[in-house]
């Protein structure tokens, strides 16, 4: 099981579109849309939000993202009608709905708990897809490494959303501190903001107990073209 996500929007299309986008990068995460009024008009629906929360809750918790203030009010009303046990597994993230949903879904896909998913979603709000990437400070204090390798992107569209998500999911599985061109390899938004396209070099660096294994497998993933 993984943490589920619920997208609450005033628009049915926005909620469903956000779910569709995030699902491309986090296929095993339960993503539920609660957009529009009961008849799919512009607004929010208590019944839709309540149903989505029930569907998304597989026992590991749920993170909710809302687009406007009244969406938060509807969500809080729905939470008030839940029992204490279920309500205790649900958190509303203060994050932009699209960027937060993508970052949160990838965090859930890599096994993050509710706190980790909320953190990823809210970090997306502070950084944003177009902002300069966060740079990880250089250090040589790891138990293994540092390991370094430079590979060239061969897939047609470079490190766009889906391959970037695949990269982050693989990187997150290693006990190592990994960077891509100086950016945290476990940050989806950081990697995407690099804008790496076909033909660009990717400089992998890692240190820690699984540094060598991490660099080898990540390099192989890049050289494979991500199946594209």
């Amino acid at each position: 099981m993984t943490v589920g996500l619920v997208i609450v929007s005033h628009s049915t299309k926005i909620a469903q579109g956000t779910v569709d986008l995030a699902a491309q990068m986090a296929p095993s995460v339960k993503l539920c849309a609660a957009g529009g009024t009961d008849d799919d008009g512009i607004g929010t629906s208590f019944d839709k939000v309540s149903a989505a929360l029930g569907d998304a809750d597989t026992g590991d918790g749920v993170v909710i993202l809302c687009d406007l203030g009244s969406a938060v009010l509807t969500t809080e009303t729905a939470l008030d009608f839940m029992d204490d046990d279920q309500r205790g597994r649900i958190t509303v993230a203060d994050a932009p709905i699209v960027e937060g949903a993508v970052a949160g879904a990838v965090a859930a896909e890599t096994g993050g708990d509710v706190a980790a998913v909320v953190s990823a979603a809210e970090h997306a709000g502070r950084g944003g897809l177009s902002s300069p990437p966060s740079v990880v400070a250089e250090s040589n204090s790891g138990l293994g490494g540092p390991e370094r390798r430079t590979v060239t992107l061969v897939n047609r569209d470079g490190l766009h959303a889906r391959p970037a998500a695949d990269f982050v999911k693989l990187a997150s599985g290693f006990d190592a501190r990994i960077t891509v061109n100086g950016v945290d390899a476990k940050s989806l938004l950081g990697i995407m903001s690099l804008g790496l396209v076909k033909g660009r070099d990717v400089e992998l660096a890692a240190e820690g107990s699984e540094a060598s294994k991490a660099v080898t497998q990540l390099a192989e993933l890049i050289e494979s073209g991500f199946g594209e």
Side-chain angles (χ1 to χ4, degrees), residues 6-22 32-36 40-43 65-68 71 96-99 101:
V6 171
I7 310 303
V8 181
S9 171
H10 284 64
S11 164
T12 302
K13 292 180 180 178
I14 288 175
Q16 188 58 54
T18 302
V19 164
D20 292 344
L21 175 63
C32 296
D40 292 334
I42 297 299
L65 291 102
C66 304
D67 61 355
L68 297 171
I97 196 165
V98 176
E99 293 91 337

Side-chain angles (χ1 to χ4, degrees), residues 2-8 18-19 29-34 49 52-66 75 79 86-97 99-109 112-123:
T2 63
V3 172
L5 276 82
V6 171
I7 310 303
V8 181
T18 302
V19 164
V29 175
K30 187 71 173 179
L31 297 157
C32 296
V49 173
L53 290 174
D55 289 343
D57 185 12
T58 59
D60 284 346
V62 176
V63 174
I64 309 171
L65 291 102
C66 304
T75 298
L79 290 173
Q86 186 176 15
R87 187 165 54 246
R89 296 193 298 272
I90 300 173
T91 300
V92 180
D94 182 11
I97 196 165
E99 293 91 337
V102 170
V106 171
E109 181 79 13
D113 59 12
V114 168
V117 173
V118 170
S119 177
E122 294 186 344
H123 179 77

Side-chain angles (χ1 to χ4, degrees), residues 186-222:
K186 300 176 184 179
S187 168
L188 176 67
L189 299 181
I191 290 177
M192 290 179 65
S193 63
L194 288 172
L196 295 173
V197 297
K198 181 180 180 180
R200 291 285 301 276
D201 285 342
V202 179
E203 298 176 1
L204 299 170
E207 56 183 315
S209 62
E210 295 185 306
S212 179
K213 182 179 178 182
V215 168
T216 297
Q217 293 192 20
L218 290 168
E220 289 175 351
L221 178 63
I222 294 171

